[in-house]
Amino acid sequence: MTPLSPELSFGSSSSSSSISLTIIFSLFSSLLLSTIDARLTLPYNATVPALIVFGDSIVDSGNNNNLATLVKCNFSPYGKDFMGGIPTGRFSNGKIPSDLIADSLGIKQLLPAYLDPNLRTEDLLTGVTFASGGTGFDPLTPKVAAVLSLSKQLELFKEYVGRLNLAVGEERSATIISESMYIVCAGSDDLANTYFTTPFRKLSYDVPSYTDLMLQSASSFVQELYGLGARRIGLISIPPIGCVPSQRTLGGGKDRSCAENYNEAAKLFNTKLSSELNSLKQQLPQSRLVYIDVYYRILDIIQRPQNYGFEVINKGCCGTGKIEVAVLCNDLDPLTCLDVSNYVFWDSYHPTEKAYRSVVEPVLSKHINEFF
C-alpha cells in the first residue's frame, strides 16, 4: 500500500484525520472489491455444491504422492509460493487450476486430492480431484508413467459416491452429484509423451488416427461419467503444447521455436472434441457439456507476454528451464530463478500460478453460463 503523504497523515486536526480515514477506507474497499470480483457470478438461483476434477498434472493436487511413480513433485522447490512454501504434490510453484476454479466458484480455496491420507469426510461434500500427473486419454499413457488412468479415476469416483452416501444419505448425495461441476483436463501427455517423443504409438498411427483414438476415449469417459449422475461437465482443451519449454527443446530445432507439428495435433484434437461434445449434448438429456478452450488464451500469453506481466516464455523457472520436470527439478539445483513472477512456466512443462491465474479466471468467466 502506498504510504500516506505527510499532509494526509494522522494529525491533531479533525479534518486531517477525516481525510486520512476516508482514504484508508477507500483503499480497503478497493482491495475488498478486487477480491470479490475474482469470484464468478452464477446465474440467478444457481448453486454448485462441489467441484469434482479428473485428469493430469495440471489439476493433480497430490494424488501421485501415494503412487509408485517417478511422476511426482512432493519436494522443494515445488510449492515455493504455496501456503508458506509447502510442497504438496502440485506441479507448480503455487496453486493450480483445480484450486483456482474451486475458489472462483466460492466453494473453497483449495481442492484436495482424493488419495490424500488426511482427507476428511467434510472435504467430500465440496469436492476433490482424482487427477493424476502423467495420465491421458490414451490408455497407454498412464501405463508408461505408472499413474492413475482415467478409468481408474472413475473407479475412485464410484468409491467417492459410496462414501458420500454414507456421510449424508443417498438423497442429498444424489443432489450433490447432479448439481456439482465436473472438470476434465487431459490429452497433453498423450501428444507430448506417448505420441511425439516415444515410438509407442507413432508406428501404428498418424496424427489424425491417433487423435481419433484419444477422442473415442474422451467421449466414452464423458458418457460413463454422465451415467454415474454427473450433468455439468466441462472438458478443457489441449493447450499449444508445442510451445511448452520441454517440447521446444525436443521438437523445436536449434532455435527452440514452438514445435508447430505438436500444436497442429493439439488443434486437430480440440476441433474434434468440441464437435463431439456438441453431438453428445443431443444424446444425453439434461446434460451441460462445455468445451473450455484455453489454447488461444495461452498462445496469446506466449506471443504477447508483456501484456500479462511476463518476460520469460521459452524456459521454466526451475533449473535450466529447458528440460527439467518432476524429479529433475529439485532444491539442489542452484539455477532455479529468483523472481518467478517473470516466468510463464514453473518447470519445463507446467505453468506458474501467475500464468494459471491469467488463464483460468477469464476463460471460466466466459463459459460459466453454459453449465446452467
Side-chain angles (χ1 to χ4, degrees):
M1 181 181 296
T2 304
L4 300 177
S5 58
E7 63 269 22
L8 295 180
S9 62
F10 288 105
S12 58
S13 73
S14 59
S15 60
S16 177
S17 297
S18 175
I19 293 173
S20 299
L21 287 171
T22 300
I23 291 175
I24 290 174
F25 179 76
S26 176
L27 290 170
F28 176 77
S29 297
S30 297
L31 179 61
L32 181 61
L33 286 172
S34 68
T35 302
I36 294 172
D37 287 344
R39 296 286 172 87
L40 293 172
T41 301
L42 302 182
Y44 179 69
N45 277 346
T47 59
V48 181
L51 175 67
I52 310 293
V53 175
F54 302 90
D56 55 26
S57 57
I58 300 301
V59 287
D60 178 4
S61 62
N63 284 310
N64 278 16
N65 296 351
N66 304 284
L67 305 179
T69 178
L70 291 176
V71 187
K72 59 178 66 179
C73 59
N74 53 344
F75 46 82
S76 296
Y78 286 96
K80 175 179 176 291
D81 302 298
F82 182 89
M83 306 287 285
I86 304 171
T88 61
R90 288 168 169 82
F91 289 79
S92 188
N93 64 304
K95 292 183 179 181
I96 56 176
S98 44
D99 300 315
L100 300 178
I101 295 171
D103 192 24
S104 294
L105 292 171
I107 296 174
K108 51 188 175 185
Q109 290 190 346
L110 303 173
L111 196 71
Y114 181 69
L115 296 183
D116 184 345
N118 298 315
L119 190 72
R120 303 167 300 171
T121 299
E122 52 264 38
D123 292 326
L124 301 177
L125 306 185
T126 49
V128 293
T129 176
F130 298 93
S132 181
T135 200
F137 290 121
D138 180 352
L140 183 58
T141 301
K143 286 183 181 179
V144 173
V147 297
L148 299 177
S149 65
L150 286 173
S151 59
K152 179 60 178 178
Q153 291 181 34
L154 274 181
E155 287 180 25
L156 292 175
F157 175 67
K158 294 174 186 177
E159 179 184 285
Y160 161 86
V161 173
R163 294 175 65 180
L164 203 59
N165 288 340
L166 290 175
V168 299
E170 292 188 7
E171 184 176 350
R172 185 182 173 196
S173 176
T175 299
I176 292 174
I177 296 302
S178 65
E179 294 185 356
S180 291
M181 182 180 293
Y182 297 79
I183 297 293
V184 183
C185 178
S188 295
D189 291 315
D190 295 320
L191 295 180
N193 300 331
T194 307
Y195 190 78
F196 280 110
T197 58
T198 68
F200 299 129
R201 290 296 198 192
K202 213 169 186 180
L203 296 176
S204 303
Y205 296 87
D206 58 12
V207 170
S209 60
Y210 186 66
T211 51
D212 283 342
L213 172 72
M214 293 169 59
L215 183 70
Q216 182 179 6
S217 176
S219 179
S220 296
F221 183 88
V222 170
Q223 292 177 68
E224 188 169 353
L225 188 57
Y226 173 88
L228 294 171
R231 293 296 179 266
R232 300 167 174 169
I233 307 172
L235 274 80
I236 297 177
S237 73
I238 297 179
I241 193 68
C243 295
V244 167
S246 60
Q247 307 313 307
R248 287 175 181 264
T249 301
L250 296 170
K254 64 179 182 179
D255 294 329
R256 297 185 65 250
S257 303
C258 291
E260 291 305 330
N261 54 333
Y262 292 40
N263 287 348
E264 289 302 318
K267 287 192 290 185
L268 178 60
F269 173 77
N270 290 343
T271 298
K272 292 179 178 181
L273 179 63
S274 177
S275 178
E276 179 68 8
L277 290 180
N278 285 332
S279 177
L280 287 175
K281 287 178 190 177
Q282 311 306 316
Q283 303 173 36
L284 306 177
Q286 298 182 320
S287 65
R288 295 291 183 270
L289 307 182
V290 182
Y291 171 72
I292 303 172
D293 178 34
V294 299
Y295 183 97
Y296 291 100
R297 176 74 176 188
I298 294 174
L299 186 63
D300 191 55
I301 291 173
I302 291 170
Q303 292 177 337
R304 302 190 300 168
Q306 65 282 356
N307 289 4
Y308 300 87
F310 297 107
E311 296 177 10
V312 185
I313 61 167
N314 63 353
K315 63 180 182 177
C317 172
C318 171
T320 66
K322 297 179 180 179
I323 200 67
E324 295 91 344
V325 66
V327 293
L328 296 178
C329 178
N330 58 71
D331 225 7
L332 299 177
D333 196 326
L335 297 176
T336 298
C337 74
L338 296 177
D339 188 358
V340 67
S341 68
N342 291 328
Y343 286 71
V344 172
F345 293 96
W346 165 245
D347 58 24
S348 72
Y349 197 83
H350 304 95
T352 60
E353 178 183 334
K354 179 180 174 181
Y356 280 138
R357 288 187 180 277
S358 298
V359 175
V360 170
E361 288 157 4
V363 168
L364 194 58
S365 295
K366 176 182 177 181
H367 292 286
I368 189 63
N369 288 335
E370 298 173 49
F371 285 94
F372 301 95

